[in-house]
Amino acid sequence: MDFPDENLVTGGHGLCAGCGAAIGLRLALLALGKNTVVVNSAGCLTLQPTYPYTPFKVPWIFLAIENAGAVAAGLSAAYRSLGKDVTVLCYIGDGATFDIGLQSLSGACELGENFIYVCYNNQAFMNTGVQRSSATPKCAKTTTTPGGNPFRRKPMIRIMAAHGIPYVATACISYPQDFINKLKKAKSIKGPKYIELLCPCVPGWGYEQSRTVEVGRLAVETGVWPLMEIENGKFRLTYMPKKLRPVKEFLSLQKRFSGVDEKEIEKIVRERWEKLVDGRFWEVDF
Ligand SMILES: Cc1ncc(C[n+]2csc(CCOP(=O)(O)OP(=O)(O)O)c2C)c(N)n1
Ligand code: SF4
Ligand SMILES: [Mg+2]
């Protein structure tokens, strides 16, 4: 694999063992390098640096949960006026992205500023106790949907693509090379870039802490989480499993899906996958 040498996250943080989002940030900094500033709004990852300590070898800005887009746009404009070439990386949870900070992200995209926005998607408001977000999949149990989530997921990838920004992609921490390639591509493109990174969460999804990478891999191999990109409006899948595995293999590892109708979910996932393989991205509820 094409990995850069320098690890910009040192040992020691207050997150759960096996946290998928922590793996994601480590990979992102490997890809983007030292000349990066990380923007983070309230969520689990906020606990990674705890003042006055930090495991990061790059600057880190912590802000209110609504503000990531505004801060990214402001930083981008400030660096431009100073003549400095610094990568602005937003690393923001799904609750802060899909729900509380959507207006700020949308505004930053409209301004066309230069930043990479990675939504680390663990599919709920984890830091405050696993409440449903609009990224929570249908049927998943959370503390606010103990009988299973009745709502459809907000189609965030389509929403971001509809902003007409130059680069939108999905990724998963279990496919590090795919994620790193996408970040490097994003870095080479001027303007707003959005990558939605699937990050399994040990207590929120309810699986063994040693199985984070396996759970993420099964999300992709079953077709639950397709890896794709939309570059200048052009859609493509970046990874095609030879044969999709049964969705049951992904669902059965996690307590949040206990008791769901596996056949119904399999049907939804298959129909969506066939449309994507056909290139019918705009018809897909993703
Ligand atoms: C306006 C506002 N509402 C609520 C909160 C409380 N809050 C802090 S972290 C958090 C969870 C954020 O969820 P997400 O963005 O998905 O990140 P995760 O916790 O899953 O890492 C919430 C709701 C807040 N800080 N600000
Ligand atoms: S609750 Fe989930 S996202 Fe938060 S630190 Fe633990 S594993 Fe990571
Ligand atoms: Mg979350």
Side-chain angles (χ1 to χ4, degrees), residues 93-96 120-127 133:
D94 52 287
Y120 69 90
N121 188 352
N122 52 25
Q123 304 191 320
F125 288 91
M126 295 305 180
N127 188 239
S133 77

Side-chain angles (χ1 to χ4, degrees), residues 29-51:
L29 289 174
L30 270 175
L32 297 176
K34 236 182 179 158
N35 198 22
T36 302
V37 55
V38 182
V39 175
N40 174 252
S41 53
C44 276
L45 267 283
T46 305
L47 303 178
Q48 209 159 355
T50 311
Y51 184 80

Side-chain angles (χ1 to χ4, degrees), residues 189-207:
I189 298 170
K190 283 267 174 284
K193 285 83 57 175
Y194 178 83
I195 301 176
E196 204 172 301
L197 178 71
L198 186 70
C199 295
C201 166
V202 176
W205 295 16
Y207 63 84

